[in-house]
């Protein structure tokens, strides 16, 4: 893929799309300095192209560099103030930074422009982190209705149901669906460390400890410095 994108740039040396895709491929391969430099090259060539700033922000988000990600997402809002994705991304980031009031405002703004399952899910996460599990389950149910093939949404719904007394008996059903969909995705990309780390948590939700330990071990072998894998690992070992 790297060779093909480099060939594309020989044909079109200022293509923002080719630079962005090349950077994402470098990241997949673990070449992080090359990835960051290539994302920035895309921005240098097209400073007003919102997708380049958004891609770099997502790169920083995945690396746990939240202040840098915030700057990128704010730039996206400056460039495209009617872009629902920019508010959604910033709201999701703020929720991870425990800036819940700002996160909620950004996500509601995103929903006003266009309802998306990701925005409902992020609002559910905010409710979940603040102990409002029934409200979180309601948000996740809306997200699942809109995007029924997403295992992360089913996993979030299962977690919220497990902590809601009158819905706890429905949690296993959602965990099984999350496992089924994640295993399907891993047939396509067996090297997806974050998916394997999530799968470990879903197995734990079903009481399948040995499978959970196996998957989290594989996730750490694949991506030992991935912040999301490390966080999910701590949850697996804690439980």
């Amino acid at each position: 893929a790297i060779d093909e994108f480099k060939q594309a740039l020989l044909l079109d040396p200022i293509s923002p799309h080719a630079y962005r895709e090349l950077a994402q491929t470098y990241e997949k391969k673990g070449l992080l300095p090359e990835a960051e430099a290539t994302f920035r090259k895309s921005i240098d060539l097209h400073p007003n192209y919102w997708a380049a700033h958004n891609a770099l922000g997502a790169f920083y988000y995945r690396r746990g560099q939240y202040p840098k990600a915030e700057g990128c997402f704010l730039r996206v809002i400056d460039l495209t103030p009617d872009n629902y994705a920019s508010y959604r991304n910033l709201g999701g980031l703020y929720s991870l930074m425990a800036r819940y009031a700002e996160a909620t405002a950004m996500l509601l703004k995103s929903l006003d422009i266009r309802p998306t399952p990701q925005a409902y899910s992020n609002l559910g996460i905010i409710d979940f982190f603040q102990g409002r599990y029934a409200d979180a389950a309601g948000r996740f149910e809306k997200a699942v209705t809109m995007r029924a093939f997403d295992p992360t949404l089913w996993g979030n719904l299962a977690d919220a149901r497990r902590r809601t007394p009158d819905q706890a008996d429905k949690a296993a059903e959602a965990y099984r669906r999350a496992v089924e969909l994640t295993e399907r995705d891993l047939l396509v990309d067996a090297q997806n460390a974050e998916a394997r780390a999530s799968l470990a948590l879903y197995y734990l939700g079903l009481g399948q400890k040995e499978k959970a330990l196996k998957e989290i071990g594989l996730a750490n072998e694949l991506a030992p410095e991935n912040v999301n894998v490390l966080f999910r690992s701590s949850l697996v070992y804690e439980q």
Side-chain angles (χ1 to χ4, degrees), residues 28-128:
K28 284 280 190 179
K29 198 167 172 59
L31 302 172
L32 302 184
E34 292 87 343
E36 182 177 10
T38 307
F39 279 125
R40 290 202 168 278
K41 178 68 172 178
S42 179
I43 290 173
D44 289 343
L45 289 170
H46 302 274
N48 293 326
Y49 181 45
W50 72 269
H53 294 277
N54 190 66
L56 180 59
F59 171 81
Y60 287 136
Y61 164 84
R62 290 189 290 270
R63 308 272 75 74
Q65 299 179 39
Y66 297 152
K68 288 184 177 181
E70 179 186 11
C72 293
F73 292 147
L74 286 171
R75 180 60 178 150
V76 175
I77 289 176
D78 287 341
L79 292 169
T80 57
D82 59 347
N83 185 338
Y84 71 94
S86 58
Y87 297 101
R88 183 191 66 200
N89 292 344
L90 189 57
L93 178 67
Y94 283 156
S95 72
L96 291 176
M97 299 171 76
R99 293 163 62 175
Y100 296 131
E102 294 169 275
T104 298
M106 291 293 103
L107 293 167
L108 291 175
K109 175 70 173 177
S110 177
L111 286 173
D112 283 342
I113 299 171
R114 180 186 296 182
T116 63
Q118 295 92 337
Y120 280 118
S121 179
N122 284 330
L123 284 169
I125 290 170
I126 293 170
D127 288 330
F128 186 92

